[in-house]
Amino acid sequence: MLIRYSTDEKGNPVKKAVVYTKDEHCIKRESIDPDAIFIIDCLKKNGFDSYIVGGAVRDLIGGRTPKDFDIVTDATPSRIKKIFRNSRIIGKRFRLVHVFFGTKIFEVSTFRSIIDGSIGNAFGSMDEDVLRRDFTLNALYYDPLKQQIIDYVGGVEDIKKGIVKPVIPIDRIFIEDPVRMIRAVKYGATTGCKLSHKLKKKIRISAPLLSPVSPSRLTEEFLKIINGGHSFEIVNAALETDLYEYLQPAASNLILENKKFAKSYLENLKKLDDFVKQNQDSRLGERLYFLLKDFVEQLTDWKLEIQSEYSSSEIYKKTWAICRNFVLPINPQRTELDFAVRKLLQDAGIQVKPKRAKRNRKLHIQQDVSEQEN
């Protein structure tokens, strides 16, 4: 085992990190996406430090296959963009670079400083960047060329022990970014690592901090949950820590009030997970179907609805609006929610005519004028 040092103000050596060699961490190079290695190699050849970071390193240590390989470097976004023609800079507040290889996207970020706390955007050093990471199991840096893991925070040992431990002090971590609470229960549910009693208690106390978080951020996190194949475990953990009432308040209320609904709702999440694992390329609407199934079934007596004076299109419009309110504050694409509602009504015996694509006559006129001008 190697030790990484820096110096203090007086020039004395200070231990900064433990460096695990390939014989100690046992990560196989062939488990790394070759395009990720190519990006890191290019950055190093241009004089920059570069590492695979976060969840990919955690998964590799745990013997799991990473979904993606995020990369961190001391190169600025503009420098990264110049090195890789197949890339683009994204984000206004927090600028990152996406490097494209066919359908694959690699996210490359620049080391961030802690000058403005753990959510600032100033560029910094690797020593600072690690202190911005949320939990120790996500705060590991892997160099696939040297085949070394750099561990500042004891993350390797925490993964082996199976615990989720915050890097940022517990009195600040959720105040600075409440979404970290969702990530904490997600990591615990998907990695087999446990949250300490102290951390769980802090999450329960801090759960109301999610209330002012924007619907777009909550939607992003929630879609990760239902798209990841572990929604049953994560939702159970979110219910246990009082987080789910801020992600899905209507569903949470029904779960608390109705044991039959609660049991069926969770059973359908299991079915959702099985469906996702077997149908990786399925659309979001097919996944929302499982989330809405119990709610729609208990809305009314659908046999009576079929016999009522209402047309199928009227029933659809009413059901769509109710389902839209049910999933709030989550805001899925309208077309995907539309797909799920139509499929559920079809299960109930109500056939809704497919929507016709509207012709944008004005757009066609503009295109014709443009062509004439050219």
Side-chain angles (χ1 to χ4, degrees):
M1 187 181 295
L2 306 174
I3 304 295
R4 185 169 182 156
Y5 291 93
S6 66
T7 55
D8 60 18
E9 294 177 355
K10 297 180 180 179
N12 298 318
V14 177
K15 178 182 174 181
K16 279 287 183 181
V18 173
V19 180
Y20 293 87
T21 63
K22 63 179 181 179
D23 294 328
E24 294 165 329
H25 59 64
C26 299
I27 293 175
K28 296 179 181 179
R29 186 179 167 116
E30 52 266 31
S31 300
I32 313 296
D33 190 302
D35 291 325
I37 296 175
F38 174 80
I39 292 170
I40 289 171
D41 188 38
C42 285
L43 287 165
K44 286 181 177 290
K45 284 178 178 176
N46 280 272
F48 299 105
D49 285 337
S50 184
Y51 304 88
I52 293 169
V53 71
V57 187
R58 176 197 69 218
D59 290 342
L60 288 165
I61 292 172
R64 296 178 295 275
T65 302
K67 291 182 180 178
D68 45 42
F69 291 85
D70 291 341
I71 295 165
V72 68
T73 178
D74 56 352
T76 61
S78 58
R79 289 295 301 160
I80 300 166
K81 181 74 174 66
K82 287 180 180 178
I83 295 170
F84 301 101
R85 293 182 180 179
N86 54 325
S87 68
R88 69 176 179 185
I89 297 174
I90 65 163
K92 293 180 180 179
R93 185 180 64 87
F94 194 88
R95 298 173 76 218
L96 306 166
V97 179
H98 279 175
V99 182
F100 301 88
F101 288 87
T103 58
K104 292 186 293 185
I105 301 174
F106 295 89
E107 188 172 279
V108 184
S109 61
T110 306
F111 292 136
R112 290 308 201 268
S113 168
I114 54 171
I115 190 169
D116 298 317
S118 66
I119 55 173
N121 295 306
F123 298 143
S125 65
M126 186 176 177
D127 290 357
E128 293 176 294
D129 188 81
V130 69
L131 298 176
R132 294 167 47 93
R133 303 280 161 180
D134 47 11
F135 302 97
T136 59
L137 46 70
N138 286 336
L140 301 169
Y141 302 79
Y142 179 65
D143 183 337
L145 303 183
K146 293 181 179 179
Q147 298 188 63
Q148 294 177 340
I149 291 176
I150 294 94
D151 182 1
Y152 286 81
V153 292
V156 171
E157 286 301 313
D158 287 343
I159 291 172
K160 290 178 179 178
K161 292 176 183 176
I163 57 174
V164 178
K165 185 186 295 184
V167 173
I168 301 161
I170 200 165
D171 61 335
R172 288 196 294 112
I173 184 170
F174 302 134
I175 292 173
E176 292 181 347
D177 186 359
V179 171
R180 288 172 176 149
M181 291 184 284
I182 301 172
R183 293 178 188 151
V185 299
K186 184 172 69 175
Y187 299 146
T190 58
T191 65
C193 295
K194 294 182 179 180
L195 280 65
S196 68
H197 175 73
K198 182 180 179 181
L199 184 56
K200 280 185 179 180
K201 183 179 179 181
K202 187 65 177 179
I203 290 173
R204 287 194 191 97
I205 294 170
S206 306
L209 293 173
L210 283 173
S211 187
V213 173
S214 70
S216 60
R217 284 201 74 196
L218 292 178
T219 299
E220 180 184 357
E221 291 300 322
F222 191 72
L223 292 186
K224 288 178 184 177
I225 291 171
I226 66 173
N227 289 333
H230 295 279
S231 65
F232 173 77
E233 296 96 327
I234 298 170
V235 170
N236 264 314
L239 286 166
E240 185 184 346
T241 50
D242 299 335
L243 295 180
Y244 206 57
E245 64 181 279
Y246 297 95
L247 282 169
Q248 289 288 268
S252 294
N253 288 336
L254 282 171
I255 288 168
L256 289 172
E257 294 169 1
N258 189 327
K259 290 183 178 180
K260 184 179 178 182
F261 177 89
K263 182 180 178 181
S264 184
Y265 185 86
L266 292 171
E267 282 298 319
N268 272 311
L269 289 181
K270 285 184 180 179
K271 292 176 183 178
L272 167 62
D273 293 336
D274 290 339
F275 176 81
V276 168
K277 290 169 185 175
Q278 295 169 19
N279 302 273
Q280 293 289 329
D281 296 327
S282 57
R283 62 186 292 178
L284 175 60
E286 294 176 288
R287 302 174 185 202
L288 290 173
Y289 167 86
F290 292 95
L291 199 72
L292 291 164
K293 194 171 190 303
D294 299 287
F295 174 66
V296 171
E297 285 178 353
Q298 58 87 51
L299 271 179
T300 184
D301 185 331
W302 289 104
K303 289 181 180 179
L304 292 179
E305 290 292 339
I306 293 170
Q307 298 168 8
S308 71
E309 61 185 16
Y310 295 108
S311 66
S312 59
S313 61
E314 288 175 318
I315 294 172
Y316 160 76
K317 288 177 183 177
K318 190 186 297 183
T319 307
W320 187 93
I322 294 171
C323 287
R324 174 70 185 87
N325 286 329
F326 177 72
V327 298
L328 288 174
I330 306 307
N331 187 24
Q333 288 179 310
R334 185 185 181 97
T335 53
E336 298 304 319
L337 184 59
D338 172 82
F339 178 92
V341 172
R342 287 172 185 272
K343 186 171 168 51
L344 287 161
L345 288 178
Q346 187 176 354
D347 288 352
I350 299 171
Q351 298 295 329
V352 184
K353 291 181 180 179
K355 293 178 72 176
R356 290 183 179 180
K358 293 182 179 179
R359 293 183 64 189
N360 192 332
R361 188 169 178 272
K362 184 178 179 181
L363 177 60
H364 287 310
I365 292 171
Q366 290 174 340
Q367 288 174 340
D368 291 341
V369 170
S370 178
E371 287 170 3
Q372 289 172 9
E373 290 175 349
N374 291 334

